[in-house]
C-alpha cells in the first residue's frame, strides 16, 4: 500500500506531529512508521510543515546544572556501554551538519566583492587529466575559504558538489561546505571546520543532493581528491 | 572527548529553543529541564538515527523533545493562557532563538503566511495543540466549544495548511 498517498495515514501523521494523537493510537502509529517508510515520510513532511510554529516561542536559557547533568549521564553511559568505540562519530557528523547550517548562511548572503585579504593556496582540485577544476584558497588563519571555479567544472543541475576535509588519522570526513559550479564564493568556516582543515592531509569533492549532504557525511560518490598544501 | 565537545556545541545552539518549547508544554521548569537532559542524552545515543533521518538536524531534535513532552502530558485541568502570550517571567531576553538557515527565509515566511491564512479558530486550535500541548478535549474546555467542532477546526486547519504550504515549497526532504 502506498501510504504516501493514503489520506488516512497523512491525517494520522499530521495529528501525531500536532500532538492531538494520544494514547494507544499514538503508539500504534509509531509502530506503523517503524515498519513503513511511506508513513514515516508522511510524518517527516508534517514535522517540516509545523516546525515553524516553534519560532515564535520565547527561548529560555537552561540553568548551568543542566549541562553538568547531561555530561554526567553521557559519561555513565559510556562506561556502561559494551561498545569499545570511544568516539561517537555520528554525533560529530550530526553536530557538524547543524554547525554547517550556521556556516551556510554567510555564503547565502549577497556577494560582497570576493576580495579576500592575502589568501594562500590550500588545494587545487583537478580531474583525472590533471585539468584544474577548483582552486581553494584561504585567509592566513584559514577562517575563510575562497573557492574559484574553472570552466572545466562539469555542470550538474541535479546535484551539488561538496568539499570535505579528510583528516590524517582516518577519522570521518568533515564537510567544509557546498562549492559553486561556476564563478566563485567565500565560505566562512566554523571552529570545528577550521580544526578539521588544519589536521587534513587531503580534501575531497563528493556529489550530493542539491544543498549538500543531508546527513553530515558524504552520501554520494567521492569524485576528486586533492592534497592540502602545507602552509609556508 | 571530541564527541562531547560536539554535543556541547549543539547544546549551546539549540538548548534555549528546546527549553522554551518544553516549558510551554509542560509548565514546570524542573520537569522541562529534566526532559531537556533526557533529550540531549537521547540525541547523543541515537545520532545514528539522525544519519538515516532525511531532514534537518534541528527538526529531528525538536521532534524528539516534543514527542517526549507529549508522552508526559496527562489530561488534567490545564491552565489556559488567555492570549497565548509567553510567560514574561520565564522568557530570557538574552537567549537567542536558534534559526535553522538550511531552510531559506522565503520558505520560512511561506510557512508563517500559510498559518496566518487560517481562520482565527483554526489558528487557535492548532496553536493550543502544537505550542501548548493541549489535547482536543482540553482545547474544547479551554475555548468553551463542542469537541466535534474543535476536531473539525483541527482537521480543516491541518488540511488548509498542507495545501498552502505544499503549493509554496518544492520537496523539502531528500
Amino acid at each position: 500500500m502506498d501510504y504516501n498517498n493514503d489520506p488516512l495515514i497523512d491525517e494520522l501523521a499530521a495529528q501525531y506531529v500536532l500532538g492531538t494523537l494520544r494514547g494507544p493510537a499514538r503508539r500504534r502509529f509509531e509502530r506503523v512508521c517503524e515498519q513503513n517508510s511511506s508513513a514515516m515520510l508522511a510524518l517527516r513532511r508534517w514535522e517540516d510543515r509545523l516546525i515553524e510554529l516553534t519560532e515564535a516561542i520565547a527561548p529560555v536559557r537552561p540553568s548551568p546544572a543542566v549541562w553538568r547533568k547531561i555530561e554526567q549521564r553521557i559519561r555513565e553511559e559510556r562506561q556502561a556501554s559494551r561498545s569499545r568505540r570511544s568516539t561517537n562519530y555520528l554525533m560529530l557528523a550530526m553536530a557538524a551538519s547543524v554547525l554547517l547550517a550556521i556556516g551556510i548562511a554567510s555564503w547565502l548572503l549577497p556577494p560582497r566583492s570576493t576580495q579576500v585579504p592575502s589568501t594562500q593556496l590550500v588545494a587545487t582540485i583537478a580531474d583525472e587529466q590533471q585539468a584544474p577544476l577548483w582552486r581553494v584558497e584561504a585567509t592566513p588563519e584559514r577562517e575563510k575559504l575562497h573557492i574559484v571555479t574553472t570552466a572545466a567544472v562539469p555542470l550538474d543541475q541535479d546535484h551539488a558538489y561538496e568539499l570535505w576535509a579528510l583528516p590524517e588519522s582516518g577519522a570521518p570526513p568533515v564537510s567544509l561546505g557546498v562549492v559553486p559550479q561556476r564563478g566563485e564564493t567565500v565560505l566562512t568556516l566554523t571552529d570545528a571546520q577550521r580544526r578539521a582543515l588544519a589536521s587534513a592531509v587531503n580534501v575531497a569533492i563528493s556529489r550530493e543532493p542539491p544543498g549538500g549532504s543531508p546527513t553530515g557525511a558524504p552520501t554520494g560518490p567521492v569524485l576528486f581528491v586533492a592534497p592540502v598544501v602545507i602552509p609556508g | 572527548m571530541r564527541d562531547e565537545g560536539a554535543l556541547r556545541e549543539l547544546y549551546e545552539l539549540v538548548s534555549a529553543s528546546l527549553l522554551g518549547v518544553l516549558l510551554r508544554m509542560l509548565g514546570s521548569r524542573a520537569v522541562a529541564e529534566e526532559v531537556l537532559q533526557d533529550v540531549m542524552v537521547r540525541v547523543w545515543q541515537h545520532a545514528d538515527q539522525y544519519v538515516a533521518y532525511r531532514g534537518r538536524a534541528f527538526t529531528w531534535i525538536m521532534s524528539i523533545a516534543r514527542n517526549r513532552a507529549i508522552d508526559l502530558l496527562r489530561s488534567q485541568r490545564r491552565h489556559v493562557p488567555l492570549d497565548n502570550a509567553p510567560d514574561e517571567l520565564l522568557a530570557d531576553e538574552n537567549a537567542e532563538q536558534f534559526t535553522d538557515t538550511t531552510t531559506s527565509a522565503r520558505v520560512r515566511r511561506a510557512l508563517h503566511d500559510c498559518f496566518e491564512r487560517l481562520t482565527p479558530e483554526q489558528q487557535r486550535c492548532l496553536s493550543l495543540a502544537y505550542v501548548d500541548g493541549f489535547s482536543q478535549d482540553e482545547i474544547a474546555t479551554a475555548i468553551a466549544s463542542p469537541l466535534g467542532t474543535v476536531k473539525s477546526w483541527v482537521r480543516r486547519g491541518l488540511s488548509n495548511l498542507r495545501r498552502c504550504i505544499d503549493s509554496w515549497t518544492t520537496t523539502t526532504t531528500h
Side-chain angles (χ1 to χ4, degrees):
Chain A
M1 174 182 268
D2 180 5
Y3 283 121
N4 202 19
N5 289 324
D6 183 335
L8 174 60
I9 289 292
D10 192 74
E11 165 117 25
L12 288 171
Q15 301 246 8
Y16 184 95
V17 175
L18 186 67
T20 46
L21 194 69
R22 299 278 178 102
R26 191 172 182 84
R27 302 281 86 87
R28 272 198 300 276
F29 189 70
E30 281 169 357
R31 283 197 295 277
V32 169
C33 288
E34 279 163 22
Q35 286 151 16
N36 187 283
S37 60
S38 298
M40 180 67 93
L41 187 60
L43 184 69
R44 298 290 176 234
R45 290 216 167 106
W46 274 107
E47 284 174 356
D48 284 340
R49 290 185 188 106
L50 297 181
I51 189 77
E52 193 55 23
L53 294 176
T54 62
E55 275 276 306
I57 302 169
V60 177
R61 209 194 306 271
S63 328
V66 174
W67 174 252
R68 287 198 294 271
K69 289 181 189 157
I70 291 167
E71 217 173 22
Q72 168 91 0
R73 282 169 66 176
I74 303 274
R75 286 179 185 163
E76 283 164 11
E77 293 270 332
R78 206 197 292 278
Q79 277 171 345
S81 166
R82 289 200 198 111
S83 163
R84 314 221 60 218
R85 188 187 61 189
S86 59
T87 304
N88 187 342
Y89 288 112
L90 295 162
M91 182 66 237
L92 289 175
M94 191 196 70
S97 85
V98 174
L99 294 169
L100 184 62
I102 307 294
I104 269 184
S106 61
W107 70 266
L108 280 176
L109 293 171
R112 292 156 272 189
S113 64
T114 43
Q115 168 193 10
V116 181
S118 54
T119 54
Q120 303 164 339
L121 180 66
V122 170
T124 303
I125 301 169
D127 66 14
E128 278 132 357
Q129 286 75 41
Q130 304 305 317
L133 300 171
W134 288 277
R135 199 180 147 83
V136 181
E137 294 171 340
T139 50
E141 299 302 308
R142 297 200 166 182
E143 76 272 11
K144 286 188 201 290
L145 292 184
H146 186 203
I147 318 276
V148 182
T149 62
T150 71
V153 169
L155 290 178
D156 185 346
Q157 280 180 339
D158 298 320
H159 297 97
Y161 295 114
E162 194 162 356
L163 180 67
W164 304 84
L166 304 182
E168 185 171 20
S169 56
V174 174
S175 175
L176 302 177
V178 170
V179 296
Q181 300 193 15
R182 280 294 175 268
E184 54 195 47
T185 195
V186 176
L187 303 180
T188 302
L189 300 185
T190 64
D191 284 354
Q193 289 170 315
R194 285 173 56 201
R195 284 195 295 271
L197 184 57
S199 65
V201 176
N202 292 302
V203 291
I205 294 279
S206 73
R207 182 165 59 217
E208 300 296 331
S213 166
T215 69
T219 67
V222 171
L223 301 175
F224 312 105
V225 179
V228 173
V229 170
I230 298 163
Chain B
M1 307 243 46
R2 283 184 299 147
D3 55 347
E4 270 180 40
L7 186 70
R8 179 78 203 244
E9 290 186 58
L10 201 60
Y11 180 81
E12 294 295 322
L13 285 175
V14 304
S15 59
S17 301
L18 291 177
L19 188 59
V21 167
L22 290 171
L23 261 170
R24 278 295 288 270
M25 294 180 82
L26 298 167
S28 148
R29 176 122 190 183
V31 173
E33 287 194 339
E34 189 76 37
V35 173
L36 178 58
Q37 287 173 45
D38 291 345
V39 169
M40 295 309 299
V41 171
R42 190 177 169 83
V43 162
W44 182 80
Q45 286 170 331
H46 295 276
D48 59 324
Q49 282 173 22
Y50 168 69
V51 172
Y53 176 70
R54 293 153 164 273
R56 292 166 290 144
F58 181 71
T59 305
W60 179 66
I61 297 169
M62 182 59 79
S63 298
I64 291 174
R66 291 195 63 257
N67 289 339
R68 184 99 182 87
I70 289 165
D71 287 348
L72 290 179
L73 290 170
R74 303 278 178 260
S75 37
Q76 59 211 0
R77 290 272 136 211
R78 296 290 301 272
H79 170 64
V80 183
L82 281 177
D83 58 0
N84 249 5
D87 186 336
E88 291 305 323
L89 290 175
L90 297 173
D92 182 345
E93 278 156 11
N94 295 322
E96 272 180 26
Q97 179 64 269
F98 176 80
T99 304
D100 187 340
T101 53
T102 50
T103 311
S104 73
R106 182 178 163 274
V107 168
R108 281 185 279 121
R109 202 166 41 246
L111 299 178
H112 180 80
D113 288 350
C114 286
F115 188 77
E116 297 288 306
R117 279 172 200 233
L118 301 178
T119 68
E121 294 80 16
Q122 290 166 1
Q123 288 185 41
R124 186 94 172 110
C125 289
L126 294 188
S127 180
L128 283 172
Y130 188 85
V131 174
D132 294 289
F134 278 53
S135 68
Q136 290 182 118
D137 278 308
E138 290 164 351
I139 294 172
T141 306
I143 64 176
S145 294
L147 180 59
T149 310
V150 166
K151 288 187 172 179
S152 170
W153 281 332
V154 166
R155 291 231 312 282
R156 293 262 175 78
L158 289 171
S159 151
N160 291 344
L161 211 51
R162 175 188 159 144
R163 205 173 320 118
C164 177
I165 290 170
D166 288 1
S167 73
W168 267 92
T169 61
T170 52
T171 310
T172 54
T173 54
H174 297 111

